[in-house]
Amino acid sequence: MANAETNTIDKELCVNPKKFKSENEDSKRIENTVHQNLKDLSKFKLKRVINNNAQKKLLCVEGTFTGYDGSALVLLEKKAFVEDNLDEHLFNDSSILSKEFENDLYGNYNCFPLVKYNSIKTTIIHPATEKHIAKFENQPVHIVDETAELYKEVTLTHLNKEQFSLQWVYNILEHKAEQERIVFEDLDPITGFVLIPDLKWDGSLETLYLLAIPMQRGIKSIRDLNDLHLPLLKNIRDSGTKAISTKYGVPTSQLRIYFHYQPSFYHLHIHFTYLKYDAPGIFTEKAHLLSTVINNIELMGDYYSKATLSFAVKESDTLFAKYQEHGVLPVKSAEVK
Ligand code: G7M
């Protein structure tokens, strides 16, 4: 069971977010960001392709923007088709066909729909750190069975020193960014949260993807969860599903609600995705269903501080070398080419 000390710390952190390092640590960094003035991609100078995933129709490239310092990552992803208004979007005389070949009953064409219905979802990260680049790089991966000891000795020590900035999370919680995108908000400092579309969501119901971000600061990941957090988790489950069914008409039974472990960002957050959508990161070595997490904690309040949790780590991740030093991963890659 969780002790009173943890509870006090949680409450203190809620009301005094300044206790957290990294909150404003890179506010200087964003003064030089490209996002204020960007209208097209002509200033982007390609350095290299770091991932080209034909299955996901996703291209990730590294480069720079002329006139700006630092590396940039550009992620381009073809969007899913939207079934609504197909006549207006696709089946009309604006959708020009160019024939590749015909053979008997069969014909292959390229179709060029109107530009406004043919956009590519584009995410730009600038300035991008080495860690951002490593995150999107196609790399050999290895499974780590992280015991509670390994978490304390290696993972926690490492992530306390090196982790992605949480500024974007605090911007959402403090209404400094994406305010108009908030789908639901509960301001309670202990059980409250913000429900907001994920950066990756292109807005079509087929790929529905929202994030619930607790108001409470200081819960890094499921590792920190205990029975004191059950009211928060249940509120996110109940109010989050209600808000999604009201706004998007998707029932709870068609939602996949889960955490990532390891996450990329160490402020607890919960993913809500459409069940039929194979969202990135829903694999068994990464996703932990909210319902299972609640149940495990109900059975054993301190389950997540004791359990061995398994996840995949990329060779380019700085944690990989730490696990190697600790003897829990092989020194040489044994990846099957
Ligand atoms: O793997 P992890 O559980 O840490 O996932 C973090 C999620 O946050 C991913 O699904 C990202 O797409 C999402 N995300 C990351 N950033 C930087 C943003 C952002 O600025 N806004 C929103 N709405 N989602 C983000």
Side-chain angles (χ1 to χ4, degrees), residues 123 125 132 135 164-165 167-169 172 177-178 181 196-201 209-211 213 258-267 269-271 280-281 286:
T123 303
I125 304 176
H132 284 118
K135 177 174 156 71
F164 282 131
S165 165
Q167 194 58 52
W168 68 272
V169 174
I172 290 173
E178 302 188 51
R181 283 161 45 84
I196 195 155
D198 190 278
L199 183 72
K200 289 199 283 281
W201 189 24
Y209 199 149
L210 292 109
L211 281 183
I213 306 176
Y258 55 100
F259 301 87
H260 278 165
Y261 193 78
Q262 296 286 334
S264 303
F265 300 96
Y266 290 89
H267 175 113
H269 51 274
I270 292 104
H271 304 248
K286 182 133 184 151

Side-chain angles (χ1 to χ4, degrees), residues 80 86 139 194 281:
L86 275 176
Q139 278 274 318
V194 170

Side-chain angles (χ1 to χ4, degrees), residues 172-191:
I172 290 173
L173 295 178
E174 294 166 16
H175 292 182
K176 290 179 182 161
E178 302 188 51
Q179 188 178 359
E180 67 296 340
R181 283 161 45 84
I182 291 176
V183 170
F184 176 83
E185 189 173 40
D186 174 343
L187 295 174
D188 188 286
I190 304 295
T191 58

